[in-house]
Amino acid sequence: MDPLDIARWQFGITTVYHFVMVPLTIGLAVLVAGMQTAWYRTGNRRYLKMTKFWGKLMLVNFAMGVVTGIVQEFQFGMSWSAYSRFVGDVFGAPLAMEGIVAFFVESTFLGLWIFGWDRLSKGVHLACVWAFSLATVASAYFILAANSWMQHPVGVEMVDGVPRLNSIWAVLGNNTALAAIPHTVLGCFAVAGAFLVGVAAWKIHSRHRAAPALTDPAADEDTREDRKLWHTSMRLGAWVGVVAFAGLAITGDFQAKLMFQQQPMKMASAEALCHTEQPASFSVFAIGDVARPDCENVKSFTVPYVLSYLANGELDSEVKGVQELIPEYQERFGTHYPDDPALGKMAGQPIEYVPNLPATYWGFRFMIGFGSVAAAGAVAVLWLTRGGRFPRWRGWPLLAVASIATPFLGNIAGWIFTELGRQPFVVAPNPDPSGVDGVWMFTAAAVSSGVSGGEMLTSLIGLTTVYAVLAVVEVFLMVRFIRGGVESVMPPEKGEDDDDDVLSFAY
Amino acid sequence: MDLPTVWFCVIALLWLGYLFLEGFDFGVGMLLPILGRREEERRVLINTIGPVWDGNEVWLIVAVGATFAAFPPWYAGLLSAAYLPLLLLLLVLIGRGVAFEYRGKVDTARWRRAWDIVIVLASWLAPMMVGLVLTATVFGLPIDVDGNRVGGPLVILTLVNVVGALAFWGFSLLHGALFLSLKTAGEVRERARRIGLQWGLPLLLPTVALVLAAQVGQGHAWTWIPIAVAGIVSVLAWWCLHRWREGQAFALQGIGLAAVVVALFGTLWPNVLPSTLDPTWSLSIEGAASSPYTLAVITWVAAFGTPAVMVYQGWTYWVFRKRIGTHHIPAVHAPS
């Protein structure tokens, strides 16, 4: 196998896997901080129990996010050394900033939070969880600023054929980044919201089937309190899901408009829009083969005017299609890769300017589709559980558990779309006249030329194997803690004659 | 001092922070089966580093990230040339981090034994890989004019690099023993101290060999000074441990490490990654540095960020400053 293909597969797999772990951590961290704040303000033990329970699940997941994140940072140098040399002057800065400003805070204050329950005053302990959770959001900001630069390079000038940073504010304030950050962070909240709903619905179903109404007079105080805890968690999750989706729709629309300007080929591919249209229709779904850029054999169900509106905010504007964009790209960047041995099997080959059409077309649809399903589910939950109700239908907790997957799938689809849609470029060229000319790089030119295919294959196999095993372990642990409920995360109450020296928490 | 030289020093400082901090938590992992004879003792060991190991590891992430930002060709050349050792490092760090977090989450002997094996294996292998790669950057790699490795994936396994791997491995073990003698109470503390007293010299031998090889091969006159300092403080550290002054011994050992890092980066200067094929292909501080603007940007971030990190990480060590003994360890609390 060609090193380029393996390096791309490895980057894709490790990045998607990392981004399955990270959104749940970010979303849960902020929600747990909120729960602990509620406990701090009201003294209500229900919020303490919620903090401990959801906090424990967050920790089980956090470990995986951290360890898979290290791979990401090393991978640029190991597998993509040509890329690292080309963009290091600008791309390395947000990465270093993430480490110094965000990652140190995250890891240090998380340790203080986990082990500090009886060592720190309540207020300081609460500040630790906020420091941790806000730092996870700050991390996301720096990483997305770096990623957005690859989608829309700004703040640089070309010196001796290499982009050199001339404004860090342009990079950190890149409009692509400012659109991507709220969209991605809201995606994290959608994930955490669905997780709360699914888990809490399951808990209510498995423990309180006999008492569907919150006000059942037959139940004793403990049972009722337990029931209330899950009910509060479930409603919180559903509200978070609904609000997150509303935000996702707004930021997604804003992001799409930017993308039509900055990466027209990506959006044309997302729509399988083969020929320029005016006004352009939005394709809801397609039957047939969307892989061919000439659009034969495709029957697409469309809504007129919507794509024009998505692209420019006007109902009858022109949107360029794939067929018209190809010659524009060929004119600017050539029809063939340079005949340079560093490009491996791509040397001298014709350049394919259209990204993988099925992946971009369906990636875009799955992102929106799964997000909408999650949002509809959250609205349904809010309606069905109003006033302490809990539906008697046996199938619905299963449905709630299954729907945990929907925002995850939406996130994954979104990333696959946004990264594959950039191909064949690793640093996408800037069509925007205000952008810097000449700042772009082919993915084929970015791979490490000193590294053999065997090494890459070893790491692809090694990492995917370890990732697969750990995914099983994480799910196993999550299920155990969910089954164990609040009792399994609250330390037993200390008796009068217990030794005060015993730590409140230890590994 | 110009900015590239400043950043060469900052990266040396970040590596020093990493080697010092994660050095002892690697050592604790290595000593797990040796000092932790019973389950409660193993939990004592793990909990001495429980609140801090994750923060320690971030020093590695920042050292590598800062290299990417300040010296992209160094980052690209070193990481791609050392592909397989770094892959192994990543795999064991993944296992190790998860193991600490997951080990106590199921209350069965089999579960704990499985994660203990991961912790021990990872704690033995990880410092060797770090030592191997750092030594390779000091002594150079066969890189061509473009900074790409010439030769197979194993060209990094030279004699001196293997000595470097053993050096950080031995240092970590000793450092971990000193840390445990400072942080634990009871039998574990006494056993840890005995290891420090009996094995101190043999464990530091590869470091001595490494530093002398660097000095003889490519040293400057002034780099003899830190080497002498390292030698003197190591003897003093041993003496302090002998007199039961464990805190002083640990601090002196840290000064010794700082002196060794200064000596090694000193002999590397003015290069960042020498080429063993042709000296003109070596990556130098000036040649590999990012633009003055980028360096200025990250200098501002580091100037405000790094002292803050030191303050709050120092505070963490203060919060968890108490020695831990088996009587501090709570009963296992996990879902059944």
Side-chain angles (χ1 to χ4, degrees):
Chain A
M1 251 174 121
D2 188 62
L4 173 66
D5 293 335
I6 310 175
R8 287 188 64 190
W9 273 108
Q10 178 174 309
F11 198 86
I13 290 170
T14 53
T15 308
V16 163
Y17 190 90
H18 181 59
F19 204 74
V20 169
M21 303 300 162
V22 166
L24 185 59
T25 299
I26 294 179
L28 273 183
V30 177
L31 292 181
V32 166
M35 292 170 192
Q36 190 168 338
T37 309
W39 174 59
Y40 180 80
R41 299 284 299 261
T42 65
N44 186 338
R45 275 183 68 78
R46 191 194 309 161
Y47 297 125
L48 174 65
K49 289 177 180 175
M50 282 170 65
T51 307
K52 292 259 187 176
F53 179 79
W54 297 109
K56 185 66 85 177
L57 298 186
M58 189 260 295
L59 291 179
V60 168
N61 187 66
F62 177 77
M64 299 281 283
V66 171
V67 295
T68 54
I70 310 177
V71 175
Q72 297 305 100
E73 192 201 45
F74 277 64
Q75 180 158 220
F76 293 112
M78 289 166 66
S79 303
W80 303 96
S81 63
Y83 169 78
S84 304
R85 284 189 196 104
F86 180 68
V87 302
D89 200 77
V90 47
F91 190 81
L95 247 54
M97 287 181 184
E98 190 221 6
I100 295 172
V101 178
F103 214 28
F104 267 130
V105 176
E106 252 173 80
S107 58
T108 311
F109 286 92
L110 183 68
L112 280 159
W113 185 71
I114 301 175
F115 290 87
W117 281 92
D118 63 344
R119 294 283 167 99
L120 301 169
S121 74
K122 268 190 184 181
V124 173
H125 189 251
L126 179 67
C128 288
V129 73
W130 275 112
F132 160 71
S133 54
L134 294 180
T136 63
V137 177
S139 260
Y141 171 71
F142 288 115
I143 293 305
L144 289 169
N147 178 273
S148 298
W149 188 84
M150 297 162 78
Q151 314 281 355
H152 179 225
V154 290
V156 291
E157 58 192 331
M158 289 300 276
V159 179
D160 303 331
V162 175
R164 292 241 295 236
L165 187 63
N166 62 15
S167 167
I168 187 68
W169 304 113
V171 172
L172 295 177
N174 189 349
N175 54 14
T176 318
L178 296 183
I181 287 149
H183 193 68
T184 313
V185 171
L186 287 164
C188 301
F189 281 105
V191 163
F195 186 72
L196 256 66
V197 170
V199 172
W202 183 259
K203 292 302 292 184
I204 297 176
H205 172 73
S206 60
R207 302 187 129 203
H208 303 283
R209 237 177 313 189
L214 189 59
T215 49
D216 189 345
D220 62 41
E221 189 54 38
D222 275 0
T223 317
R224 231 178 322 181
E225 188 43 46
D226 185 79
R227 170 76 159 71
K228 275 186 197 161
L229 184 154
W230 298 120
H231 197 81
T232 310
S233 297
M234 183 172 58
R235 304 266 309 171
L236 172 66
W239 275 115
V240 168
V242 171
V243 173
F245 184 77
L248 280 168
I250 297 165
T251 52
D253 178 56
F254 185 65
Q255 223 182 345
K257 287 188 172 49
L258 274 182
M259 233 180 258
F260 274 109
Q261 298 165 19
Q262 294 169 355
Q263 296 180 52
M265 183 65 94
K266 181 191 279 186
M267 291 311 288
S269 311
E271 282 301 314
L273 182 70
C274 299
H275 303 287
T276 303
E277 287 183 20
Q278 183 180 17
S281 328
F282 178 80
S283 164
V284 181
F285 68 95
I287 295 173
D289 183 11
V290 288
R292 297 158 60 110
D294 55 12
C295 285
E296 283 175 33
N297 309 325
V298 180
K299 189 162 175 53
S300 181
F301 292 82
T302 57
V303 186
Y305 301 108
V306 171
L307 188 61
S308 288
Y309 182 77
L310 281 181
N312 305 307
E314 287 162 28
L315 288 175
D316 53 358
S317 58
E318 179 193 87
V319 180
K320 276 187 184 169
V322 169
Q323 287 302 328
E324 279 70 33
L325 285 167
I326 291 174
E328 290 183 18
Y329 278 85
Q330 283 176 336
E331 195 186 332
R332 259 183 92 186
F333 308 107
T335 54
H336 289 74
Y337 285 109
D339 203 5
D340 179 347
L343 287 165
K345 69 168 186 183
M346 305 302 271
Q349 294 297 308
I351 304 170
E352 183 68 71
Y353 283 108
V354 185
N356 184 317
L357 275 175
T360 41
Y361 179 84
W362 289 112
F364 193 62
R365 253 129 225 96
F366 284 154
M367 171 180 74
I368 296 174
F370 282 120
S372 312
V373 169
V379 171
V381 166
L382 283 177
W383 172 253
L384 291 170
T385 64
R386 68 195 186 282
R389 288 182 180 81
F390 190 78
R392 284 165 187 275
W393 179 49
R394 287 175 145 243
W396 101 270
L398 258 177
L399 204 62
V401 171
S403 71
I404 293 175
T406 51
F408 278 110
L409 293 171
N411 272 340
I412 291 172
W415 271 112
I416 289 178
F417 160 65
T418 204
E419 299 301 284
L420 276 184
R422 178 160 41 85
Q423 304 303 329
F425 297 98
V426 62
V427 178
N430 211 333
D432 182 349
S434 69
V436 188
D437 198 28
V439 186
W440 48 271
M441 186 182 210
F442 287 122
T443 307
V447 75
S448 297
S449 46
V451 179
S452 66
E455 281 166 280
M456 298 253 192
L457 195 60
T458 311
S459 72
L460 178 65
I461 294 169
L463 287 168
T464 44
T465 310
V466 169
Y467 280 13
V469 171
L470 290 183
V472 174
V473 174
E474 180 182 330
V475 171
F476 165 76
L477 277 177
M478 285 270 195
V479 170
R480 265 179 89 87
F481 275 99
I482 292 166
R483 284 230 173 99
V486 173
E487 297 77 26
S488 70
V489 296
M490 293 294 283
E493 299 290 330
K494 279 187 185 176
E496 292 276 317
D497 44 76
D498 279 351
D499 189 349
D500 275 347
D501 271 358
V502 174
L503 300 168
S504 66
F505 174 81
Y507 275 143
Chain B
M1 206 159 30
D2 60 350
L3 277 180
T5 313
V6 168
W7 272 90
F8 181 72
C9 298
V10 170
I11 285 165
L13 181 76
L14 290 168
W15 277 111
L16 171 62
Y18 178 66
L19 300 176
F20 178 80
L21 294 168
E22 191 135 274
F24 70 70
D25 75 48
F26 282 148
V28 170
M30 281 184 235
L31 290 166
L32 195 65
I34 300 165
L35 294 180
R37 296 184 191 165
R38 290 177 295 124
E39 166 60 13
E40 297 81 61
E41 292 175 347
R42 284 193 286 277
R43 289 185 67 200
V44 166
L45 259 68
I46 292 170
N47 280 291
T48 58
I49 53 168
V52 296
W53 70 266
D54 191 13
N56 294 349
E57 200 161 280
V58 175
W59 286 83
L60 171 71
I61 294 167
V62 175
V64 172
T67 310
F68 194 176
F71 301 98
W74 184 12
Y75 166 84
L78 182 64
L79 266 64
S80 61
Y83 198 96
L84 287 186
L86 288 174
L87 172 67
L88 185 57
L89 175 68
L90 290 172
L91 291 174
V92 296
L93 287 182
I94 290 171
R96 189 170 176 271
V98 172
F100 285 134
E101 193 57 49
Y102 289 177
R103 179 186 187 277
K105 297 231 175 331
V106 175
D107 188 16
T108 68
R110 235 182 91 189
W111 176 268
R112 280 190 293 263
R113 201 164 48 240
W115 290 115
D116 282 351
I117 291 170
V118 175
I119 292 176
V120 175
L121 202 67
S123 301
W124 282 60
L125 287 173
M128 290 193 202
M129 294 306 115
V130 172
L132 186 78
V133 173
L134 266 187
T135 310
T137 207
V138 172
F139 287 84
L141 282 166
I143 54 169
D144 64 18
V145 63
D146 297 322
N148 291 317
R149 185 188 70 208
V150 177
L154 300 180
V155 289
I156 194 171
L157 289 179
T158 62
L159 177 64
V160 71
N161 291 349
V162 172
V163 170
L166 290 176
F168 186 46
W169 172 85
F171 166 82
S172 297
L173 214 162
L174 178 63
H175 199 45
L178 290 186
F179 176 77
L180 286 170
S181 74
L182 175 65
K183 284 292 295 176
T184 58
E187 260 186 79
V188 175
R189 173 186 180 187
E190 281 159 32
R191 280 186 231 138
R193 175 175 171 270
R194 259 203 309 279
I195 286 185
L197 289 175
Q198 289 172 358
W199 290 90
L201 182 65
L203 286 173
L204 288 182
L205 271 181
T207 308
V208 174
L210 177 72
V211 172
L212 291 180
Q215 179 63 27
V216 171
Q218 56 195 51
H220 316 285
W222 69 268
T223 43
W224 280 112
I225 300 170
I227 293 173
V229 171
I232 294 165
V233 295
S234 298
V235 174
L236 284 176
W238 188 89
W239 177 245
C240 287
L241 190 65
H242 185 69
R243 303 272 315 267
W244 291 91
R245 291 184 181 156
E246 291 139 335
Q248 289 173 12
F250 184 66
L252 284 167
Q253 166 97 342
I255 295 171
L257 174 73
V260 167
V261 170
V262 169
L264 288 177
F265 276 82
T267 62
L268 174 58
W269 188 86
N271 286 323
V272 290
L273 180 60
S275 169
T276 52
L277 300 178
D278 182 338
T280 60
W281 295 344
S282 296
L283 296 176
S284 69
I285 293 176
E286 292 302 325
S290 286
S291 66
Y293 178 80
T294 299
L295 292 177
V297 166
I298 54 175
T299 303
W300 279 104
V301 176
F304 287 97
T306 323
V309 171
M310 288 177 177
V311 168
Y312 61 69
Q313 286 206 338
W315 179 60
T316 307
Y317 284 89
W318 173 253
V319 169
F320 301 108
R321 65 191 175 281
K322 277 192 181 171
R323 285 180 184 272
I324 303 178
T326 45
H327 58 287
H328 292 116
I329 298 297
V332 179
H333 187 65
S336 48

